[in-house]
Amino acid sequence: MASYRTEPESSAAPSPEVRTQPLEVLQGVVERLTYHSAENGYTVARLQVRGVRELTTIVGNFPNIQAGQTLQLQGQWRDHPKFGPQFQVNQYRETKPATLTGIEKYLGSGLIKGVGPVTAKRIVAHFGLQTLEIIENDIQRLGEAPGVGRKRVRMIASAWEEQKIIKEVMVFLQGHGVSTTHAVKIYKTYRDEAITVVSQNPYRLAQDIWGIGFITADTIARNLGIAPDSQHRYRAGLVHVLATATEEGHCYLPIAELVERGIALLSLKDFTPDAEAIKALLYEMAIGDELVMQGLEGEMVCYRPSLYHAEQNLANRLRQWAALPLSVDSQRVQNWLDRFTAKYQIQLSEQQRQAVELAASSRVLILTGGPGTGKTTTTRTIVALWKAMGRKLALASPTGRAAQRLAEVTGQEAKTLHRLLEFDPRTADFKRGRENPIEADALVIDEASMLDLPLAYALVRAIALDAQLLLVGDIDQLPSVGPGKVLQDLIASEQLPVVRLTAVFRQAASSRIITNAHQINQGNYPELEPIRAQPSSDCLFLQANEPEHVVQGIQDVLQHLIPDLGFIPNQDVQVLSPMIRGQVGTRNLNQVLQAQLNPAGPGRAEVQRGGLTLRVGDRVIQQVNDYDREVFNGDLGIIAAIDLEEQEVTVRFGKRLVTYDSADLNTLTLAWAITIHKAQGSECPVVILPIHTQHYTMLSRNLLYTGLTRARRLAVLVGTRKAIGMAVRQVKDSERYTALNKRLVRGHPG
């Protein structure tokens, strides 16, 4: 097997020495984009200047730029010590292309839905230099071009009109620092009212449009001259603070912390909000039901209304439900269990047997435990018992991958929770609820540690009070991505029956992945085998001291070790990183791994959006719940097709094909590497874990434990022993503001 390099192949480029030149004017056709940032518009592109054989490199800020556009640029030349002459653009304007090649590139660039490179070539071949004039003044004539039917002409006509309106909106928005991607979303949301809405209250953008937060809206507002002490600004800022706290997992914030965070957010260079004014506004917002203010254990706290009602109602429902009596013949259950275990030669531990018997007699039961402790066998036995008792079963999990695994181990149909609850995108709510409960009287929910507060409440309110519920999960994993720590709070309240499996079975104990997971959970350093040609362990380690060495080490593992052990690199392996940013974060790793595992090639279609290249065969992840497409945050898929004519990307999620248009591609990102948080509820044959001190702010015991237990057959840690030690020592599993456990114990905890 090849050796593993720990030195990078090249060093970082030195800072360029810029030699300025007089201003010049340049005109040409954008041949391709080398780099484009959707956030700030920074672009490096290659320009074909008429009469110049070689392509010219241009650098500047372009909020809206695409291959095929003809641009008139004003700027100056500079010499880059590594990349040579570049034209630094100060100002630019788009001009309609005057040459056949320019017109063809312009039309085929993705500017107009329905016109890709093939259709553009046909239209320009037929109409020549008159093409743009015909599109502008007599668009129906496009049907004269071979292969351009009436349906496509109608599509082009509609897209051309919309594009003209979008350009007006874009000119306005880009003048106020809005990226092209956001401008398109603003137009799709508000249509012809876009400029009016943005002018009157730009803070609506943060509320109405995913991907536009308070900071962007505030920048637009200040450019429009809205006062820094505007009530619109204060309210939007405080709502943003609570929303940010929700993203951190909190269900509420103490009022003192909310005020402190609000002042930090709303302060400008020459302006600091008054704390008393912020407090007064919070009381006013509470009176208007914009937030809920409540005394909680001696301090005032503020909730978003939806989270307050979810927490309060979930506790009430569970207390009411768990108290209902359930009559069961315990001797009959024990006799069945004896026959079942004898028939299938199953050896249940005392804890497992207790869990099965409790499942028969409890309205709600929580089953928890680490890997190898028998949760799967126990769950399978409980399902068999409930079937024997004549129960109508429903099985579900928060993610599609976990639901598929639950179905495999139980032999019963399992759904995602969103499918079980029947989410209706028209109403943005679930069809199943108190008035229309789930049609089952025994439910199993796996990976319950992933349940956040809103989803847990939606589930419980949709279960009939005469039904039974089994929650299965590992509380030592990371808490849910969403707000709350539901499973931990339910257990901490001591109001519901809980069985915690602790004994590791002999067969599972032969796996170093499982034994190391328990070592980590107990605060002990894991036993890791250095990589060698014929490893004897399923848990390996590659020392890599610098971030660039970690990246190179991952590439070497994928190139040599993985194939040598019989795994397929682009199918069987998932790289899991603690962070998004940094050299060893998912953003950079995805660029590196895409080039290695799914490189560009002839006939392999690709599309560029916001500096990201998506290619047929790429692994991608959904970043936000999309109820219309029934694709949810964290769902993994493979790009199956890219249609440059229709500007559509088709992604395969399991057995389903889902189509995205170009404006919605920012909800997808590459997933050759994903964060450990995003990997919750999933497993993969091979997991590669980069663990470096560059991740120190995120390193924790349950993060490392969660990442390691995603591996079924092989785990490879690449990084430093110091970083692993930091993770093992750091406990960060309970730093969330939640009150579910208190509400379960005492009801209203005021």
Side-chain angles (χ1 to χ4, degrees), residues 373-680:
T373 57
K375 290 197 304 297
T376 297
T377 300
T378 308
T379 301
R380 189 188 298 125
T381 305
I382 291 171
V383 167
L385 171 63
W386 276 346
K387 282 187 68 178
M389 295 173 72
R391 300 284 193 263
K392 185 175 182 180
L393 295 171
L395 283 68
S397 189
T399 70
R401 290 161 284 164
Q404 182 180 353
R405 193 172 68 251
L406 179 61
E408 290 168 357
V409 301
T410 61
Q412 302 294 314
E413 181 190 15
K415 301 178 179 179
T416 65
L417 277 169
H418 281 84
R419 286 188 179 276
L420 179 69
L421 294 168
E422 298 179 22
F423 188 87
D424 185 353
R426 293 171 299 178
T427 61
D429 201 357
F430 296 106
K431 293 179 181 178
R432 296 292 179 180
R434 191 166 301 196
E435 304 302 321
N436 181 31
I438 298 165
E439 294 176 359
D441 47 26
L443 296 95
V444 178
I445 307 301
D446 197 14
E447 296 291 350
S449 62
M450 295 181 66
L451 285 174
D452 63 20
L453 181 59
L455 189 56
Y457 175 54
L459 169 68
V460 169
R461 73 178 181 181
I463 300 175
L465 286 176
D466 60 353
Q468 293 177 267
L469 173 65
L470 172 66
L471 295 172
V472 185
D474 183 350
I475 60 165
D476 295 314
Q477 289 187 26
L478 290 167
S480 59
V481 174
K485 44 177 184 173
V486 173
L487 190 64
Q488 289 171 286
D489 277 350
L490 295 183
I491 294 172
S493 73
E494 299 182 348
Q495 301 301 298
L496 302 171
V498 177
V499 176
R500 180 158 191 167
L501 304 177
T502 55
V504 178
F505 281 81
R506 186 171 58 186
Q507 185 177 357
S510 65
S511 165
R512 188 59 65 186
I513 292 172
I514 290 176
T515 56
N516 275 338
H518 288 279
Q519 286 291 317
I520 291 166
N521 198 30
Q522 294 161 16
N524 299 320
Y525 195 91
E527 186 176 325
L528 303 170
E529 178 183 314
I531 288 181
R532 53 175 179 250
Q534 296 296 327
S536 60
S537 170
D538 59 0
C539 200
L540 307 177
F541 176 67
L542 177 64
Q543 178 77 27
N545 294 329
E546 300 299 328
E548 58 267 31
H549 302 168
V550 176
V551 176
Q552 186 62 63
I554 292 170
Q555 290 180 276
D556 287 345
V557 166
L558 284 165
Q559 184 177 352
H560 302 295
L561 176 70
I562 298 304
D564 288 351
L565 295 179
F567 297 107
I568 303 173
N570 62 356
Q571 293 181 21
D572 297 331
V573 182
Q574 181 64 66
V575 177
L576 301 179
S577 174
M579 295 183 72
I580 297 173
R581 297 180 179 85
Q583 200 166 353
V584 197
T586 59
R587 188 173 291 156
N588 179 60
L589 285 172
N590 270 315
Q591 301 298 318
V592 172
L593 297 176
Q594 182 190 47
Q596 180 175 359
L597 299 175
N598 192 36
R604 183 171 290 172
E606 62 181 44
V607 63
Q608 289 189 335
R609 284 295 179 271
L612 181 71
T613 299
L614 297 175
R615 192 174 292 139
V616 170
D618 273 335
R619 187 184 299 164
V620 292
I621 187 169
Q622 177 75 12
Q623 301 183 90
V624 62
N625 288 341
D626 186 333
Y627 298 112
D628 292 322
R629 293 184 175 90
E630 294 189 45
V631 184
F632 302 101
N633 188 359
D635 283 354
L636 287 171
I638 302 290
I639 295 181
I642 295 175
D643 189 328
L644 296 175
E645 296 285 309
E646 304 292 341
Q647 295 172 55
E648 291 176 341
V649 174
T650 301
V651 181
R652 184 182 299 280
F653 292 97
K655 296 179 181 179
R656 294 178 63 233
L657 290 174
V658 178
T659 300
Y660 294 76
D661 61 34
S662 58
D664 292 327
L665 288 180
N666 66 335
T667 65
L668 291 172
T669 194
L670 291 171
W672 298 111
I674 61 175
T675 63
I676 296 173
H677 281 85
K678 290 285 190 183
Q680 287 175 264

Side-chain angles (χ1 to χ4, degrees), residues 278-333:
I278 297 289
K279 283 183 184 178
L281 180 58
L282 287 174
Y283 281 98
E284 187 180 319
M285 292 172 72
I287 292 170
D289 294 330
E290 295 174 72
L291 55 83
V292 173
M293 191 178 293
Q294 185 184 53
L296 186 64
E297 296 195 326
E299 66 177 345
M300 295 300 292
V301 304
C302 290
Y303 281 85
R304 299 172 76 180
S306 60
L307 290 181
Y308 170 78
H309 294 300
E311 189 175 81
Q312 182 74 5
N313 293 335
L314 174 59
N316 291 341
R317 181 83 167 176
L318 283 171
R319 276 201 324 276
Q320 176 190 12
W321 189 16
L324 292 174
L326 182 62
S327 177
V328 174
D329 185 339
S330 58
Q331 187 59 53
R332 190 175 178 185
V333 169

Side-chain angles (χ1 to χ4, degrees), residues 39-61:
E39 294 305 314
N40 57 24
Y42 179 76
T43 302
V44 179
R46 300 283 277 167
L47 192 77
Q48 180 67 68
V49 179
R50 190 174 184 182
V52 178
R53 186 173 180 180
E54 298 293 329
L55 295 177
T56 299
T57 300
I58 61 172
V59 179
N61 289 85

Side-chain angles (χ1 to χ4, degrees), residues 171-191:
V171 167
F172 170 79
L173 294 173
Q174 288 164 7
H176 297 93
V178 182
S179 71
T180 302
T181 302
H182 287 160
V184 171
K185 281 192 167 289
I186 290 169
Y187 175 75
K188 286 182 70 175
T189 302
Y190 303 121
R191 311 300 293 186

Side-chain angles (χ1 to χ4, degrees), residues 327-370:
S327 177
V328 174
D329 185 339
S330 58
Q331 187 59 53
R332 190 175 178 185
V333 169
Q334 291 177 28
N335 291 341
W336 176 90
L337 191 50
D338 291 338
R339 293 194 303 272
F340 181 82
T341 53
K343 179 179 180 180
Y344 293 102
Q345 299 182 330
I346 298 171
Q347 292 287 331
L348 295 182
S349 69
E350 207 172 302
Q351 293 172 328
Q352 288 177 301
R353 192 175 180 100
Q354 178 195 15
V356 177
E357 292 175 4
L358 273 172
S361 59
S362 303
R363 292 290 180 191
V364 182
L365 174 66
I366 297 170
L367 176 65
T368 187

